[in-house]
Each structure stands twice: as C-alpha cells, then as structure tokens.
C-alpha cells in the first residue's frame, strides 16, 4: 500500500454550528416541522375525547350562552341591540389572545423533551401555540357568521379587512408576549400562574360585555386613551365587521358605537405588535442558550 493512500483527507473549511439558525424566520422556513408540531398540539388536545373537534364549537357556544344569560337576561343590557352578537365578537378576540398567551407561555416547558433532543428553533413552540389558537377561531367564526346571517347581516368588504387586521393585531401581540414569557417561565415556573391571573383582566379591559359608548359616557375626554389598548381596537374591528350589520340601523349603530379614529388606532396597534415582536425575539435569543440546563 502506498504512503499517499494512508494519509487522511483534510478539508479546509470553517467550523459551523450543527444546530439550525434560530429566529422566527427560521421557524417559517421549516414549515413542515411547524405543521407537524401544530398537528401534534391539536391531536393532543382532543386525545381520548368522545366528541373530539366538536368541543371547538361547544366551548364558544357555552360561553356565549353564559354571557348572554347572565348579562342579558338577568342583569339586562337593553341599550345594546343584538347583545349576544356583541359579546361573541369580543369572545373571538379575547379567546385568541388568551389562548396564545397562556399556551405560548407554557410551550417550552411543556415540550421540554423535544427541546432537549431535537436541534430546532425553540421559537417554534410559541409560534405553534399561536397557530393552534388561530385554528380554533374557525369554528367560532362559522358560528358567528351563521348567527349574523340569520339576523340579516351582509358582509362589507372594507369591514372584513378590518376583521383580518384584528387577527394580525392579536397574533403579533400574543406571539410577542408568548416569546417573552415562555423564556421567563423556564427560569421561574410562577410566571405561568401569573399569566393566568393577568389574562383574567383582559375580558374587562375591552368593550365585550359593555359597549364603547359606556366608556365615553363615564370617562369623557379620557375615553380616547382607552383606544391605546390594541386588544380593545381589535374587538371593535370585529364588532364593526359583524355586530353592526345585525342591528336595526347599521349606519346609526356605527356612528354611535364605533370610534371615528378606529382605523388609525388599529394600524398603530399593528405597529406596537411588530415592535413588541422584535423585542420578544431579542429577549428570546438572549436567554435561549440557557434553556436546556434549566429544564
């Protein structure tokens, strides 16, 4: 055997990290893996369930009935036409945000086995939680559209774009907070319980069980500051798209109950969501290397 044949082959190349590049862009480049993770989350939610996906319809319907019966039938909300639809529009937004925030906060700890074993962007877990929450909007939207259609509602293209804008606001803000708090939850498990308490206040910080006009009546000149809450803007966008069209005089209802500057505040809300998303990504990248040793 020749001397040259026994010499090892040397490749002159820089060493690279075998782990994938982190970041939200890398998450969406790995769409197939993200799709599998979303399917796994959905399957796990309905595993060993007799009714399965039907719970996605029964849960929002039961909440709608509770709010309608307690607030409408017992307390009385005669000043708000189609009060059930008014509440349901808010429920869609609130549920999307609360599920994204709560599930996203626990996503890394809940998937610690995958985090330890697989080389994948860890941002994928909060993103998957957001997509699962978005997936469950489908049944709620079908119920809302069916009820509205029975009441004579016809979709307005501009207002339906507002509905999509509301989803963007909630998706960006919910995901941004999920990124921040999911990392914090790794280091301190009390964060998950804190988020549960925090989200309890969301339902009362948006015009869901009360109209926006009540805020104007009670707080007067201070009322515009209420619209600095992007989640409240998202609720009003959904009410504009669906609830307004079910009332006796949609033009009058829109003039009375929908703020004139709603579109302006809503686009500002999108900007706020994107800024929070950048901050959340930076925080996530700063601490993610310490995640495996703390799980």
């Amino acid at each position: 055997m020749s001397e040259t044949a026994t010499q090892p082959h040397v490749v002159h190349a820089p060493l690279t990290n075998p782990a994938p590049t982190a970041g939200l862009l890398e998450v969406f480049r790995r769409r197939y893996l993200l799709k599998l993770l979303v399917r796994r989350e959905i399957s796990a939610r309905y595993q060993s369930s007799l009714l399965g996906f039907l719970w996605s319809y029964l849960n929002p319907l039961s909440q709608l009935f509770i709010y309608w019966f307690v607030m409408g039938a017992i307390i009385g909300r005669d000043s708000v036409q189609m009060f059930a639809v008014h509440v349901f529009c808010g429920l869609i937004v609130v549920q999307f945000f609360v599920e994204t925030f709560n599930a996203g906060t626990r996503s890394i700890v809940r998937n610690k086995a995958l985090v330890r074993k697989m080389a994948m962007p860890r941002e994928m877990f909060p993103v998957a939680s957001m997509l699962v929450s978005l997936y469950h909007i489908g049944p709620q939207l079908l119920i809302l559209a069916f009820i509205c259609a029975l009441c004579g509602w016809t979709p307005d293209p501009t207002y339906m774009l507002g509905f999509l804008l509301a989803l963007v606001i909630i998706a960006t803000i919910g995901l941004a907070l999920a990124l921040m708090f999911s990392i914090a939850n790794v280091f301190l498990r009390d964060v998950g319980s804190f988020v549960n308490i925090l989200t309890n206040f969301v339902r009362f910080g948006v015009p869901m069980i009360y109209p926006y006009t009540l805020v104007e009546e009670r707080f007067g000149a201070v009322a515009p500051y209420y619209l600095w809450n992007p989640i409240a803007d998202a609720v009003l966008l959904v009410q504009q798209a669906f609830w307004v069209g079910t009332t006796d005089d949609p033009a009058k209802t829109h003039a009375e109950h929908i703020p004139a500057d709603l579109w302006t505040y809503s686009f500002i809300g999108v900007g706020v969501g994107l800024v929070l998303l950048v901050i959340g990504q930076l925080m996530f990248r700063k601490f993610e290397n310490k995640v495996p040793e703390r799980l």
Side-chain angles (χ1 to χ4, degrees):
M1 184 178 293
S2 64
E3 184 178 348
T4 57
T6 60
Q7 293 180 352
H9 179 66
V10 179
V11 177
H12 298 283
L15 295 175
T16 58
N17 189 343
T21 305
L24 291 173
L25 292 179
E26 183 65 23
V27 170
F28 290 102
R29 287 195 190 102
R30 293 168 165 257
R31 290 186 294 272
Y32 179 71
L33 187 57
L34 179 61
K35 185 178 180 180
L36 290 179
L37 192 58
V38 170
R39 284 183 176 178
R40 174 177 171 270
E41 292 284 332
I42 294 173
S43 299
R45 180 172 296 194
Y46 300 112
Q47 189 176 15
S48 302
S49 173
L50 181 62
L51 297 180
F53 189 68
L54 283 176
W55 287 112
S56 297
Y57 292 87
L58 294 175
N59 283 335
L61 279 173
S62 64
Q63 291 187 57
L64 173 63
F65 174 77
I66 291 169
Y67 278 108
W68 171 81
F69 182 74
V70 174
M71 300 300 298
I74 297 179
I75 299 177
R77 294 299 310 172
D78 296 334
S79 59
V80 180
Q81 288 189 47
M82 301 301 299
F83 179 69
V85 177
H86 183 277
V87 171
F88 204 25
C89 289
L91 269 177
I92 288 178
V93 173
V94 168
Q95 286 291 100
F96 184 22
F97 175 77
V98 169
E99 283 191 22
T100 299
F101 194 8
N102 279 333
T105 296
R106 293 175 169 82
S107 60
I108 294 180
V109 173
R110 192 174 63 245
N111 292 282
K112 59 184 178 182
L114 288 177
V115 173
R116 290 169 177 167
K117 294 177 182 178
M118 294 186 64
M120 59 191 297
R122 298 185 182 104
E123 292 92 340
M124 190 168 290
F125 299 105
V127 171
S129 297
M130 183 272 290
L131 292 177
V132 170
S133 301
L134 182 62
Y135 175 80
H136 284 103
I137 283 183
Q140 299 173 22
L141 185 59
L142 287 176
I143 293 171
L144 178 61
F146 177 73
I147 294 174
C148 291
L150 291 178
C151 299
W153 164 82
T154 54
D156 181 287
T158 303
Y159 295 162
M160 295 310 294
L161 287 176
F163 169 71
L164 296 178
L165 183 62
L167 296 185
V168 171
I169 291 172
I170 300 303
T172 53
I173 293 178
L175 178 57
L177 294 175
L179 286 170
M180 298 178 195
F181 283 81
S182 61
I183 281 290
N185 193 48
V186 170
F187 295 92
L188 187 64
R189 297 295 195 272
D190 293 338
V191 170
S193 300
F194 171 74
V195 168
N196 268 339
I197 296 173
L198 191 63
T199 52
N200 287 335
F201 293 94
V202 175
R203 294 174 177 83
F204 301 97
V206 299
M208 181 176 72
I209 58 178
Y210 56 85
Y212 174 71
T213 50
L214 190 62
V215 178
E216 290 184 312
E217 291 174 6
R218 298 293 174 86
F219 298 101
V222 184
Y225 294 105
Y226 179 88
L227 297 175
W228 288 12
N229 177 4
I231 304 175
D233 299 331
V235 169
L236 287 167
L237 285 171
V238 179
Q239 290 173 348
Q240 177 180 249
F242 293 96
W243 168 66
V244 168
T246 64
T247 59
D248 297 336
D249 190 345
K252 181 180 178 182
T253 301
H254 190 279
E256 290 182 357
H257 294 277
I258 304 298
D261 297 331
L262 177 60
W263 288 101
T264 302
Y265 282 105
S266 299
F267 282 111
I268 292 174
V270 173
V272 170
L274 293 175
V275 170
L276 287 175
L277 200 57
V278 172
I279 296 173
Q281 174 69 96
L282 292 174
M283 289 180 60
F284 198 96
R285 293 291 299 274
K286 181 178 177 62
F287 296 103
E288 70 168 334
N289 290 333
K290 298 180 181 179
V291 166
E293 65 187 56
R294 298 302 296 265
L295 286 176

